[in-house]
Amino acid sequence: VAVRYETRVVREAGDAIGKVGELGEVGELIDSSGDELFDFTLGSEDVLEAWNLAIPTMKPNERSVFLAHPSLTYGEDGAGDDIPPGALLEFTIHLFPAKVEATAPNVDETVGKSLGAGKL
């Protein structure tokens, strides 16, 4: 599949949403594909489990915002200097129709979606 994406830290583990931390303002953009398409194989280990769960719920050309529990992203280890341990992440994903596999289910047109909602 091919997507454009943005990633933001919504909350660090144990912190209230909106806290200003070492990373700067929570909600600050920490990763983006910019104008480039990011190609990957759905279901592969090349991307986060959150993406493997989220993208099949999207329709071609849909743009969705997903909140993902740390257990579906970088967990208690975090990732480098940008993603702290236990961070709740927000992904804005735009799925491009030319690269969508015909087998991807079209489940939900909702723009805001939550992954691991029982744990957020």
Side-chain angles (χ1 to χ4, degrees), residues 1-3 37-40 42 60 95-102 104:
V1 295
V3 300
L37 290 180
F38 175 65
D39 284 304
F40 67 96
L42 194 60
L95 180 63
F96 284 83
K99 301 277 185 167
V100 175
E101 296 177 26

Side-chain angles (χ1 to χ4, degrees), residues 5-23:
Y5 67 91
E6 294 180 347
T7 305
R8 300 177 193 287
V9 174
V10 176
R11 179 179 66 203
E12 296 181 37
D15 292 335
I17 293 177
K19 173 187 178 289
V20 176
E22 293 179 10
L23 304 174

Side-chain angles (χ1 to χ4, degrees), residues 103-120:
T103 59
N106 294 326
V107 176
D108 191 353
E109 290 183 84
T110 305
V111 172
K113 300 176 186 181
S114 183
L115 301 167
K119 300 180 182 180
L120 296 182

Side-chain angles (χ1 to χ4, degrees), residues 87-98:
L88 178 68
L89 298 181
E90 175 187 280
F91 298 99
T92 302
I93 300 173
H94 183 178
L95 180 63
F96 284 83

Side-chain angles (χ1 to χ4, degrees), residues 15-59:
D15 292 335
I17 293 177
K19 173 187 178 289
V20 176
E22 293 179 10
L23 304 174
E25 190 72 34
V26 171
E28 180 180 350
L29 182 67
I30 58 169
D31 190 20
S32 173
S33 63
D35 290 334
E36 300 293 318
L37 290 180
F38 175 65
D39 284 304
F40 67 96
T41 302
L42 194 60
S44 74
E45 294 182 10
D46 295 337
V47 294
L48 298 170
E49 184 178 357
W51 282 33
N52 282 324
L53 293 171
I55 291 172
T57 72
M58 297 175 67
K59 293 182 178 183

Side-chain angles (χ1 to χ4, degrees), residues 41-86:
T41 302
L42 194 60
S44 74
E45 294 182 10
D46 295 337
V47 294
L48 298 170
E49 184 178 357
W51 282 33
N52 282 324
L53 293 171
I55 291 172
T57 72
M58 297 175 67
K59 293 182 178 183
N61 211 26
E62 180 178 322
R63 184 174 182 270
S64 292
V65 177
F66 295 93
L67 288 177
H69 187 269
S71 66
L72 300 173
T73 60
Y74 298 98
E76 296 308 315
D77 295 331
D81 294 332
D82 291 331
I83 302 174

